[in-house]
C-alpha cells in the first residue's frame, strides 16, 4: 500500500516515452492521508512558466512523459502530481490495483500544498494547471479553494453525470465498508486487457500502449476499475466544481475530443472566463492521440501558455502610469491678494 518512486523503463517503448532529462521524484502528504507521488524536470534556462499536470483516472506520470518533454523543450518547468491512490502514490486499501478514495479533497489539498510549499513559483512567470479527465475536476476544485494560478487548461474534462446522486453514491460507499469493495463489474488488472487504443481512447497504436507497458514492467503502478467509493467521490467533486464555478477567476481553456458530454459544456458556460476548443475526430486521450489530432491539441496548449508568458512580460516592461499634471491656475488665482 506504500508509495513507489523509481520505475523501470519498459524495453519495448521508444525513448520518446522515457522520463525527461533530469526527472526527479518526490512525495507529498497532508492531513495524515496516503502520500501522493510527484515528479519534476526543468530546462537549463530560467523557466518561462510553471506547468502542473494532474492526470486522469488510472494514469501514472509516465503516461505524460512525452508531453512533459515537449513542454520542457519550450522553456517550461513541468510538475506532474499523481492522484491519490493511483500510480506510484500510496493506497487507501487493497488490492493495490483497485481505485479507491473516500473523497477528492485530499487531491485538492495536495495540489495546493505542492504549489505553496514545494514549487513556490516565482511571481515573474505564470503558473498553469493542466488537468486531464477527472483530473480537470481536481484542478477546478483547487482554484475554487483559493489556489492562485494564472490559467487553467482542462483536457477532455470528465465531469460525472447526475445519473446517480452524490448522496446516494456516498451512502453506498459508506454502508458496511462498501466503498472499499470492487464495483460489480470490477476485474483485477491484466496484461491481456485492452490498452488505451483498444478502449477507444486513442487512434495511435504506439501511444496507446504506453500506460500498459509501464504497468507491465512495474506492478506497483497497475490500476484496474474504480470502486463505488471512488465513483461517489467523483460525483461529489463534480457537483462541487459546478456549484462553485463562479469562484474561478482565472482564464480557462477547455480542450475537447470529438465526442464530449453535456456536463463538460455546461461547466464551461458556468465558468466566468472559459473558452472551449474541439479537436474534430479525436478520442478522449488527446495527449496520447495520433499526431493529426495530438498536434492541434499541443498547439493549443503551448500557444495558450505562451500567451500567458507574453502577458506577464508585457506587464513587467510596461512604463508606470504618467502622473496627471495639475491644472493651470486661473487668473483669479494668479492675481495678487487684496491690500
Amino acid at each position: 500500500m506504500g508509495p513507489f518512486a523509481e520505475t523501470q523503463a519498459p524495453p519495448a517503448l521508444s525513448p520518446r516515452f522515457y522520463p525527461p532529462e533530469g526527472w526527479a521524484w518526490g512525495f507529498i502528504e497532508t492531513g495524515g492521508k496516503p502520500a501522493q507521488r510527484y515528479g519534476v524536470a526543468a530546462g537549463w534556462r530560467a523557466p518561462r512558466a510553471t506547468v502542473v499536470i494532474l492526470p486522469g483516472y488510472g494514469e501514472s506520470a509516465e503516461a505524460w512523459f512525452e508531453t512533459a518533454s515537449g513542454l520542457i523543450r519550450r522553456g517550461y518547468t513541468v510538475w506532474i502530481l499523481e492522484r491519490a491512490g493511483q500510480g506510484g502514490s500510496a493506497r487507501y486499501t487493497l488490492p493495490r490495483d483497485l481505485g479507491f478514495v473516500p473523497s477528492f479533497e485530499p487531491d485538492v489539498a495536495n495540489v495546493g500544498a505542492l504549489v505553496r510549499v514545494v514549487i513556490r513559483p516565482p511571481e515573474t512567470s505564470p503558473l498553469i494547471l493542466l488537468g486531464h479527465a477527472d483530473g480537470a475536476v481536481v484542478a477546478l476544485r483547487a482554484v475554487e479553494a483559493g489556489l492562485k494560478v494564472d490559467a487553467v487548461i482542462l483536457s477532455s474534462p470528465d465531469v460525472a453525470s447526475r445519473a446517480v446522486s452524490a448522496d446516494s453514491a456516498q451512502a453506498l460507499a459508506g454502508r458496511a465498508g462498501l466503498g472499499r469493495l470492487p464495483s460489480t463489474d470490477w476485474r483485477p488488472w491484466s496484461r491481456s486487457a485492452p490498452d488505451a487504443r483498444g478502449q477507444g481512447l486513442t487512434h495511435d497504436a504506439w501511444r496507446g500502449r504506453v500506460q500498459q507497458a509501464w504497468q507491465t514492467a512495474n506492478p506497483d503502478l497497475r490500476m484496474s476499475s474504480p470502486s463505488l467509493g471512488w465513483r461517489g467521490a467523483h460525483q461529489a467533486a463534480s457537483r462541487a466544481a459546478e456549484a462553485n464555478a463562479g469562484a474561478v477567476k482565472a482564464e480557462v481553456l477547455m480542450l475537447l475530443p470529438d465526442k464530449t458530454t453535456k456536463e463538460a459544456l455546461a461547466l464551461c458556460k458556468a465558468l466566468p472566463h472559459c473558452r472551449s476548443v474541439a479537436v474534430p475526430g479525436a478520442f478522449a486521450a488527446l495527449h496520447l492521440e495520433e499526431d493529426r489530432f495530438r498536434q492541434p491539441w499541443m498547439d493549443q496548449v503551448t500557444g495558450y501558455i505562451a500567451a500567458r508568458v507574453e502577458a506577464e512580460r508585457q506587464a513587467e516592461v510596461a512604463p508606470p502610469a504618467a502622473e496627471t499634471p495639475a491644472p493651470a491656475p486661473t487668473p483669479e488665482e494668479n492675481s495678487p491678494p487684496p491690500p
Side-chain angles (χ1 to χ4, degrees), residues 181-318:
L181 296 177
S183 59
T184 55
D185 59 350
W186 182 81
R187 296 291 184 275
W189 182 92
S190 172
R191 68 182 64 206
S192 62
D195 60 14
R197 188 189 187 197
Q199 296 174 45
L201 298 175
T202 174
H203 293 85
D204 194 281
W206 291 102
R207 292 189 178 110
R209 299 173 185 172
V210 169
Q211 183 63 70
Q212 193 170 47
W214 280 97
Q215 292 178 341
T216 300
N218 301 273
D220 283 337
L221 298 181
R222 296 174 180 176
M223 291 294 298
S224 57
S225 303
S227 68
L228 290 176
W230 187 93
R231 294 176 181 178
H234 182 204
Q235 290 197 1
S238 297
R239 299 293 81 78
E242 292 170 340
N244 297 281
V248 180
K249 304 306 180 185
E251 294 186 3
V252 177
L253 172 64
M254 185 176 289
L255 300 175
L256 302 171
D258 191 55
K259 295 180 180 179
T260 189
T261 63
K262 61 181 181 181
E263 287 81 9
L265 297 174
L267 179 60
C268 190
K269 291 181 179 180
L271 293 166
H273 310 287
C274 180
R275 176 171 64 91
S276 65
V277 177
V279 183
F283 290 158
L286 296 172
H287 57 297
L288 297 175
E289 261 289 18
E290 288 182 344
D291 286 342
R292 59 186 172 130
F293 303 119
R294 184 179 184 274
Q295 193 56 54
W297 172 82
M298 194 68 174
D299 290 344
Q300 287 289 335
V301 170
T302 55
Y304 191 68
I305 298 173
R308 305 284 82 70
V309 172
E310 180 61 20
E312 191 76 29
R313 190 189 69 83
Q314 292 291 346
E316 290 179 4
V317 302

Side-chain angles (χ1 to χ4, degrees), residues 4-324:
F4 176 75
E6 298 299 331
T7 50
Q8 180 72 33
L13 283 185
S14 166
R16 65 183 165 128
F17 300 119
Y18 287 0
E21 184 177 357
W23 187 261
W25 295 108
F27 299 106
I28 188 165
E29 180 181 346
T30 57
K33 305 297 183 182
Q36 289 180 234
R37 184 176 74 156
Y38 67 82
V40 59
W44 58 272
R45 298 175 297 180
R48 300 172 58 216
T50 301
V51 182
V52 181
I53 298 175
L54 305 175
Y57 181 83
E59 288 188 322
S60 61
E62 287 80 1
W64 285 84
F65 279 166
E66 182 185 14
T67 298
S69 295
L71 294 174
I72 293 167
R73 285 194 295 269
R74 288 168 171 82
Y76 310 137
T77 297
V78 177
W79 299 73
I80 305 178
L81 176 62
E82 291 182 336
R83 305 289 300 288
Q86 301 184 42
S89 301
R91 301 296 196 260
Y92 280 86
T93 187
L94 293 175
R96 186 178 177 89
D97 62 335
L98 171 65
F100 171 77
V101 291
S103 167
F104 275 23
E105 291 309 304
D107 289 276
V108 174
N110 276 334
V111 173
L114 181 72
V115 171
R116 298 186 185 103
V117 180
V118 182
I119 300 177
R120 291 181 289 181
E123 296 183 357
T124 55
S125 63
L127 171 67
I128 315 292
L129 285 186
L130 196 170
H132 170 66
D134 53 280
V137 176
V138 175
L140 286 180
R141 291 293 296 132
V143 177
E144 291 170 354
L147 179 63
K148 293 183 179 180
V149 300
D150 294 279
V152 181
I153 301 174
L154 307 180
S155 180
S156 298
D158 180 8
V159 184
S161 67
R162 299 176 179 271
V164 179
S165 70
D167 292 340
S168 298
Q170 292 285 26
L172 285 173
R175 188 181 305 159
L178 187 58
R180 296 178 179 271
L181 296 177
S183 59
T184 55
D185 59 350
W186 182 81
R187 296 291 184 275
W189 182 92
S190 172
R191 68 182 64 206
S192 62
D195 60 14
R197 188 189 187 197
Q199 296 174 45
L201 298 175
T202 174
H203 293 85
D204 194 281
W206 291 102
R207 292 189 178 110
R209 299 173 185 172
V210 169
Q211 183 63 70
Q212 193 170 47
W214 280 97
Q215 292 178 341
T216 300
N218 301 273
D220 283 337
L221 298 181
R222 296 174 180 176
M223 291 294 298
S224 57
S225 303
S227 68
L228 290 176
W230 187 93
R231 294 176 181 178
H234 182 204
Q235 290 197 1
S238 297
R239 299 293 81 78
E242 292 170 340
N244 297 281
V248 180
K249 304 306 180 185
E251 294 186 3
V252 177
L253 172 64
M254 185 176 289
L255 300 175
L256 302 171
D258 191 55
K259 295 180 180 179
T260 189
T261 63
K262 61 181 181 181
E263 287 81 9
L265 297 174
L267 179 60
C268 190
K269 291 181 179 180
L271 293 166
H273 310 287
C274 180
R275 176 171 64 91
S276 65
V277 177
V279 183
F283 290 158
L286 296 172
H287 57 297
L288 297 175
E289 261 289 18
E290 288 182 344
D291 286 342
R292 59 186 172 130
F293 303 119
R294 184 179 184 274
Q295 193 56 54
W297 172 82
M298 194 68 174
D299 290 344
Q300 287 289 335
V301 170
T302 55
Y304 191 68
I305 298 173
R308 305 284 82 70
V309 172
E310 180 61 20
E312 191 76 29
R313 190 189 69 83
Q314 292 291 346
E316 290 179 4
V317 302
E323 295 184 3
T324 304

